[in-house]
Amino acid sequence: MNLELHRCFRCGWCKYPSGFEDYNCPSYARFRFESHSPGGRLWLIKAWLDKEIEWSDHLSEILFSCVACKNCVENCKMDFRDEILDWIISAKSKAIENGLAPPKVRDFLENILKYGNPWGLPRNKEASWIKELERYKDQEFLLYLGCECRYEERGARMAKNVVEVLKKAGISFGVLDDETCDGNEALMLGERGLFEELASKNLQKFRELGVKRIVTISPHAYNAMKKYAEGKFEVLHFTQLFSELLRKRKLSLSELEFKVTYHDPCFLGRHNGIYEDPRKILKSVPGLKLVEMKRNRENAFCCGGGSGNFVFDFLSGPSSPARLRIKEALGTGAEILVVVCPICKAMLEDVIKEEGRIEVKDIAEIVLISAK
Ligand code: SF4
Ligand code: SF4
C-alpha cells in the first residue's frame, strides 16, 4: 500500500472540485488544514507506514475524522481513485489492530460487540412501539430497522413514518425479534472481523426465517446488506420500495404546497448510485416544488455522520459539515430539507437549533402528510 499511496500527488482536485469555495471533503471543510484533506491524509498515512512520523493522538484524530463519504473517490481524476477509501480504511484497521484507535472509536466498536448497538444501550431502551410490530414469519418483506431507528429518537420517528406508509399501501412486512447490527460502521472503520461476524449472524437469521425480500430504512444498513446479502436475498432501500408503490398506484397523494430541497445521503448516493428514487417520490406529490442545492447527487456534501462520526462527533463545531449543509439548504429558499437516512436526520436536526429557518423532515413524513 505504501508505494501506491505515493501515486496521490496532492493536486487537491478532490478538495474543491468545482471552485475554491467548494470544500467537498467534510473534514477539510471543518478544519481547513491540508492534513485533513484526502491527499494530506494519504500522505500522512504513507509517512506513518514508512516510519517517518510517530503515531500520535493528533494523527489518530485526523485519520478517524474521515467519514467515508466517498467524495474524494468521486472527484479524483486519477485511475487509482477507487482505492482511496480502501487505503484510508486499511490504515484505520491497522490503527485498531495495534490498539491505537481513539478511545471513542474503541468504545463504539466494543458496544456493538457486547450490546449490539454503538451506544451500549440495553434492549429495554428500544423505542417502545417496536414491540407492537408484527414479527417476521412469512410476510413479503423483512423490514430491517437498524440501531439508529431502534434506539435514537429521531431515527425512531422516521421508522414509525416508514411503517405507517407501508401499512397505508397494504404491504405485508414483519420485523426481527432480536435484530443484529448491520455492521456497516464496523466495515468503514476497518474492523473487518466484527463486520464478518455480524454479517454471518444476520445471514443465518435470514436463512432460518426464509426471508426473500429485505427493506432497510438506513442507507448504511442497505450498503452493508448489499455487500453480504446481494444475490441471496433481494435488498431494497425504502425509497426504492416507495417509488415502486407510487408507480403501481398503491399510494395516492394529494396536493402539498411546500418548497423542498433534498439531501443525498452518501451511502445511498455515492456508495450505491441511488439518486432518482427519492426525487421521483417528491415529484409524485402534487404541488410540491423541489429545488436542488448547488451540490447534489454525485457531488452532494455529506452531513458528517458516516464511519461512526454520528456517535464520536469529531467534526463538531461552528463549521461542522451538518451546519454547512443546512446553510446550503437555506440558500435554496426551501422551507423543508428532506432526508432519507436516520443518521442524516439526527445530524442535521441537531444543528437546526443554531442555524434555524428550515425544517428537516424525512421523506416518509412528507408522503404520510400528502396521503392523508
Ligand atoms: S486523491 Fe486524487 S484528486 Fe485528491 S490530491 Fe490525491 S491525486 Fe489529487
Ligand atoms: S471519504 Fe470523504 S471524508 Fe474521507 S477523505 Fe474522502 S472526501 Fe474526505
Side-chain angles (χ1 to χ4, degrees):
M1 181 168 98
N2 309 28
L3 270 178
E4 290 175 317
L5 282 167
H6 197 64
R7 291 160 68 206
C8 161
F9 63 107
R10 289 196 17 245
C11 64
W13 194 266
C14 53
K15 247 178 356 192
Y16 20 70
S18 65
F20 288 116
E21 74 296 335
D22 176 19
Y23 304 116
N24 246 13
C25 167
S27 70
Y28 182 69
R30 162 67 184 87
F31 296 104
R32 300 282 182 91
F33 293 125
E34 177 63 19
S35 51
H36 291 69
S37 74
R41 192 177 274 112
L42 293 182
W43 274 41
L44 282 174
I45 294 171
K46 180 172 175 357
W48 172 51
L49 294 177
D50 288 345
K51 301 192 179 6
E52 286 165 6
I53 56 170
E54 298 273 315
W55 185 262
S56 67
D57 289 348
H58 190 46
L59 179 58
S60 170
E61 175 256 307
I62 291 170
L63 184 56
F64 285 90
S65 70
C66 162
V67 291
C69 74
K70 229 180 162 191
N71 212 316
C72 47
V73 176
E74 192 66 45
N75 285 300
C76 173
K77 302 292 175 222
M78 306 298 284
D79 60 3
F80 57 76
R81 54 194 261 173
D82 289 335
E83 292 166 68
I84 300 172
L85 186 54
D86 296 338
W87 292 336
I88 297 173
I89 292 175
S90 296
K92 288 181 180 178
S93 184
K94 192 172 162 69
I96 290 172
E97 262 170 47
N98 290 293
L100 300 171
K104 283 184 180 177
V105 174
R106 278 204 307 269
D107 293 348
F108 181 97
L109 293 165
E110 266 174 39
N111 283 337
I112 292 179
L113 184 66
K114 282 193 203 149
Y115 303 96
N117 67 80
W119 301 278
L121 292 168
R123 182 83 196 278
N124 63 9
K125 294 284 179 199
E126 252 186 25
S128 55
W129 59 271
I130 293 174
K131 287 187 198 75
E132 285 142 37
L133 295 176
E134 265 186 42
R135 306 291 108 167
Y136 184 85
K137 291 188 291 291
D138 53 3
Q139 295 92 328
E140 187 181 1
F141 287 99
L142 164 70
L143 177 65
Y144 182 86
L145 296 164
C147 303
E148 309 87 38
C149 294
R150 289 188 295 133
Y151 293 101
E152 207 278 329
E153 186 231 327
R154 275 78 51 100
R157 270 193 279 130
M158 179 168 172
K160 203 166 186 189
N161 293 334
V162 171
V163 162
E164 291 309 314
V165 174
L166 294 180
K167 284 183 181 168
K168 249 185 203 305
I171 295 298
S172 86
F173 67 92
V175 297
L176 292 172
D177 202 25
D178 187 13
E179 241 185 40
T180 301
C181 170
D182 56 70
N184 193 60
E185 305 318 287
L187 183 66
M188 293 300 130
L189 287 165
E191 236 301 8
R192 185 112 212 154
L194 177 58
F195 170 72
E196 277 164 12
E197 192 179 321
L198 298 167
S200 112
K201 275 190 192 163
N202 271 321
L203 287 174
Q204 192 185 342
K205 212 174 286 177
F206 299 161
R207 275 194 208 104
E208 279 167 11
L209 289 166
V211 170
K212 290 190 181 58
R213 305 185 82 188
I214 302 166
V215 61
T216 74
I217 298 179
S218 172
H220 296 241
Y222 175 81
N223 185 60
M225 287 186 189
K226 278 300 243 192
K227 295 206 183 316
Y228 55 76
E230 177 84 323
K232 304 176 185 85
F233 312 93
E234 184 186 3
V235 184
L236 291 171
H237 182 250
F238 79 89
T239 54
Q240 294 177 298
L241 178 57
F242 280 19
S243 167
E244 187 187 317
L245 294 174
L246 285 161
R247 195 173 45 78
K248 293 184 176 162
R249 302 192 188 284
K250 298 263 171 88
L251 286 165
S252 63
L253 306 180
S254 57
E255 189 141 338
L256 281 186
E257 287 188 7
F258 293 131
K259 187 173 173 185
V260 303
T261 190
Y262 170 66
H263 169 74
D264 290 278
C266 307
F267 283 91
L268 199 61
R270 277 186 293 274
H271 280 268
N272 287 291
I274 299 172
Y275 299 105
E276 296 315 318
D277 288 294
R279 289 178 170 83
K280 277 186 198 158
I281 298 168
L282 294 171
K283 285 175 186 166
S284 310
V285 181
L288 200 79
K289 186 162 187 242
L290 172 64
V291 282
E292 294 288 354
M293 282 183 268
K294 196 170 150 215
R295 294 179 289 185
N296 61 67
R297 295 182 172 83
E298 291 85 353
N299 196 34
F301 187 65
C302 167
C303 73
S307 197
N309 200 55
F310 65 101
V311 175
F312 331 136
D313 216 6
F314 290 152
L315 304 185
S316 65
S319 50
S320 73
R323 286 188 186 216
L324 297 175
R325 193 58 167 161
I326 290 284
K327 284 186 183 135
E328 196 171 344
L330 282 167
T332 64
E335 306 153 83
I336 299 172
L337 170 56
V338 180
V339 293
V340 299
C341 166
I343 292 178
C344 298
K345 184 168 182 168
M347 296 299 288
L348 295 165
E349 270 195 10
D350 269 350
V351 297
I352 212 102
K353 292 166 213 125
E354 290 84 24
E355 302 301 335
R357 306 189 307 283
I358 192 165
E359 266 188 274
V360 176
K361 282 195 190 299
D362 64 74
I363 207 164
E365 187 178 355
I366 301 275
V367 172
L368 263 189
I369 303 170
S370 169
K372 269 180 190 159

